[in-house]
Amino acid sequence: MLVRCFVSLLLLAASGLAGGLLAGWPGALAGVVLMAAAGLIWESLRLLRLQAWLRELQMAHREEEPQARLLLSPPVGGILGEISDRVWRLLRTHLRAQQESQSRLQEMLAAIQASPNGVVLLDAEGRIEWCNQTAAHHLGLDASRDVRQHVAHLIRDPAFNAYVAAGIFASDIVISGRQSTPARPVRLSLQIHPYGIGQRLLLSRDVTLIEQAEVMRRDFVANVSHEMRTPLTVLSGFVETLQTLDLPPSDVRRYLGLMAVQSQRMQTLVNDLLTLSRLEGSPPPSMVDWVDASAVLAQCEVDARAISSYMGNVEHAIEMVQDAALQLCGVSVELQSAFSNLVSNAVRYTPAPGRVVVTLRQLADGSAEFAVQDSGPGIAPEHLPRLTERFYRVDRSRSRDSGGTGLGLAIVKHVTQRHGGVLSIDSELGHGSRFAIVFPAARVRRVIEPSSLKAA
Ligand code: ADP
């Protein structure tokens, strides 16, 4: 800067000297004035260039592309250039920091958008500042239209409004979601978390499945207790009778027989419960173990005939049809349990001398169908979707009388799913029922007969 001042003074002195040499004192004065005027014009031009640059910078900033423009340094040198250069550097650092925090904010908002939970930011008055798509979906909000609206005006649920008014946010509340219908209830957990200076974070979480699981767990425990209590009550009644009364031996034998039936019933129930829990807890069936379907079917036939003869004097017409020797890939005990359950149901629910046809065949696409068709009473359509639920029975007393636990079809469904199969139930009242499991082609193979090997 000093050098610049010195040069300017030198130029003024030189122009004064030149003017003085040419025309004396007036010439010297004119020289100095001319040089000063030239300097002024020069500085003004530099100021104009600086102003144009600043305007350009301002425009670029307004159009939100400061990065590109800021790369250009100020177009002037000298003191002005140095001052504007420093200001320019400061501005650039500031804008870069601003840009970085902007992009960090965008990243954070994108992360919150990706959250499976709903997030609503509320100001100190409870007005919406921002919400993610999940919250908008859960609570029926419009992420842009509803900004600055009071949350209590938009979530019109008395429980939520009372929760907001009470101002105690230690725990959540559960309300019905906007999309909730009687057929498809949606339950939401909402909780407010205060932060900052009076601001609040409203989190929403879909707890429909958790609530359903909890209801199912409660129902399951109640059902198991009920199923156990009935035979236990009968058993303890008989025990008390035998302890208190002096009965003739024939009565004692009869009572012991009835007690044996009840204890057998409890044993069957416990076995079915254990089977179900094993199915739920064990890894999926491997793809290397092949089970001979003929052996499984043969065991089904033995069981079916035993049940039929136990049921009465007249036996069922039981027919086993197998179009080819097949092997199924999976767990032998599980397949046996599923097939036997279907065959036993068909015999138990079909009054003798009814007809039960068990078929195993390979379909055109390589898959295999195991089907049990009976000529029993059939099932009304409203029961069909719920048949595979645990403890669901169409006719409770009939199921119990025939030794049913209400878990047979639940076991069948589990085994089918674990083996990648599909269970279908076709039934019509008065026209019998057909239960079928289709196994995927990957789990089916034909047994190659030794004779055909030789022929090949
Ligand atoms: P259960 O041990 O009571 O037989 P399941 O789960 O095997 O339980 O079957 C559920 C209900 O489905 C049975 O209680 C019965 O009402 C009905 N059901 C099952 N199979 C048949 C069938 N072949 N014919 C008529 N009703 C059936």
Side-chain angles (χ1 to χ4, degrees):
M1 186 168 147
L2 274 174
V3 176
R4 252 194 108 71
C5 286
F6 181 69
V7 169
S8 301
L9 284 174
L10 215 64
L11 280 173
L12 277 176
S15 51
L17 197 69
L21 283 176
L22 283 175
W25 277 111
L29 198 66
V32 169
V33 169
L34 273 176
M35 183 48 77
L40 218 65
I41 291 167
W42 173 246
E43 286 303 325
S44 302
L45 282 175
R46 278 165 21 103
L47 271 173
L48 281 175
R49 280 170 64 196
L50 197 66
Q51 195 186 26
W53 175 78
L54 272 172
R55 220 177 276 132
E56 235 181 295
L57 206 68
Q58 213 176 3
M59 244 160 62
H61 184 53
R62 221 177 281 145
E63 284 163 21
E64 291 179 1
E65 48 162 305
Q67 192 62 32
R69 294 294 181 169
L70 276 176
L71 291 177
L72 300 168
S73 50
V76 290
I79 298 177
L80 270 180
E82 204 173 308
I83 293 170
S84 47
D85 189 58
R86 280 178 192 212
V87 172
W88 170 71
R89 275 173 207 281
L90 267 176
L91 198 64
R92 198 172 59 164
T93 317
H94 168 74
L95 282 176
R96 275 196 182 143
Q98 194 187 9
Q99 237 186 356
E100 263 170 39
S101 61
Q102 265 293 335
S103 69
R104 263 205 302 274
L105 181 70
Q106 289 309 325
E107 275 170 24
M108 253 173 60
L109 291 181
I112 300 174
Q113 281 292 12
S115 158
N117 294 333
V119 180
V120 186
L121 303 184
L122 303 173
D123 67 10
E125 270 76 50
R127 286 181 304 228
I128 296 172
E129 284 186 329
W130 183 86
C131 75
N132 69 354
Q133 284 306 321
T134 314
H137 176 71
H138 280 168
L139 305 166
L141 304 175
D142 186 312
S144 44
R145 190 197 58 208
D146 292 335
V147 168
R148 311 304 300 161
Q149 297 287 324
H150 202 285
V151 71
H153 297 160
L154 298 169
I155 306 173
R156 294 191 166 276
D157 185 285
F160 178 72
N161 289 346
Y163 176 72
V164 174
I168 301 164
F169 307 128
S171 60
D172 66 335
I173 54 153
V174 178
I175 65 166
S176 291
R178 260 294 168 97
Q179 285 77 30
S180 191
T181 59
R184 288 192 61 165
V186 176
R187 303 286 290 159
L188 295 177
S189 148
L190 300 185
Q191 185 163 15
I192 288 179
H193 301 269
Y195 76 99
I197 306 165
Q199 286 139 302
R200 289 175 238 172
L201 186 74
L202 169 64
L203 295 183
S204 66
R205 197 160 51 99
D206 191 332
V207 289
T208 314
L209 290 179
I210 298 172
E211 279 212 342
Q212 277 171 359
E214 180 55 22
V215 169
M216 272 170 68
R217 191 191 63 79
R218 272 202 304 267
D219 286 354
F220 183 70
V221 172
N223 274 321
V224 172
S225 316
H226 179 76
E227 294 292 329
M228 287 292 206
R229 201 177 50 196
T230 315
L232 267 178
T233 313
V234 179
L235 269 178
S236 58
F238 283 136
V239 169
E240 207 179 303
T241 311
L242 291 173
Q243 278 173 334
T244 50
L245 297 178
D246 199 9
L247 295 168
S250 60
D251 279 356
V252 172
R253 264 199 305 280
R254 196 164 60 85
Y255 283 170
L256 286 174
L258 291 170
M259 287 166 75
V261 171
Q262 294 305 321
S263 65
Q264 176 60 44
R265 202 173 130 187
M266 285 207 297
Q267 207 167 351
T268 316
L269 178 65
V270 170
N271 284 343
D272 277 359
L273 284 171
L274 286 175
T275 306
L276 263 180
S277 89
R278 259 197 304 272
L279 287 174
E280 282 173 348
S282 44
S286 77
M287 290 298 288
V288 290
D289 297 324
W290 290 89
V291 180
D292 240 322
S294 317
V296 181
L297 254 64
Q299 186 58 49
C300 284
E301 188 175 0
V302 171
D303 293 347
R305 292 198 188 284
I307 296 168
S308 177
S309 61
Y310 178 79
M311 278 172 65
N313 296 331
V314 189
E315 288 196 14
H316 294 79
I318 298 169
E319 203 180 318
M320 311 295 285
V321 184
Q322 199 182 350
D323 75 343
L326 296 178
Q327 283 188 332
L328 298 174
C329 187
V331 184
S332 169
V333 250
E334 290 186 17
L335 294 170
Q336 185 71 64
S337 163
F339 290 7
S340 288
N341 263 307
L342 290 183
V343 176
S344 122
N345 276 357
V347 177
R348 284 193 298 119
Y349 293 107
T350 303
R355 189 176 149 82
V356 174
V357 182
V358 182
T359 321
L360 181 69
R361 61 192 179 113
Q362 192 162 27
L363 305 179
D365 61 356
S367 59
E369 185 194 59
F370 171 81
V372 183
Q373 170 86 55
D374 66 51
S375 61
I379 304 160
E382 66 268 23
H383 295 294
L384 295 179
R386 299 197 59 192
L387 279 189
T388 55
E389 283 176 23
R390 290 160 194 208
F391 298 112
Y392 189 84
R393 287 143 162 150
V394 177
D395 184 341
R396 207 158 265 275
S397 60
R398 188 168 183 163
S399 157
R400 288 227 181 86
D401 292 348
S402 63
T405 58
L407 296 173
L409 289 181
I411 292 174
V412 173
K413 189 182 89 176
H414 263 284
V415 172
T416 306
Q417 282 175 347
R418 281 167 55 77
H419 286 79
V422 177
L423 171 68
S424 60
I425 308 172
D426 294 301
S427 189
E428 207 182 316
L429 269 181
H431 290 94
S433 311
R434 185 176 193 273
F435 290 75
I437 304 174
V438 174
F439 293 94
R443 287 199 177 266
V444 180
R445 75 178 180 198
R446 274 174 186 258
V447 181
I448 303 165
E449 307 284 346
S451 54
S452 61
L453 271 181
K454 258 185 236 146

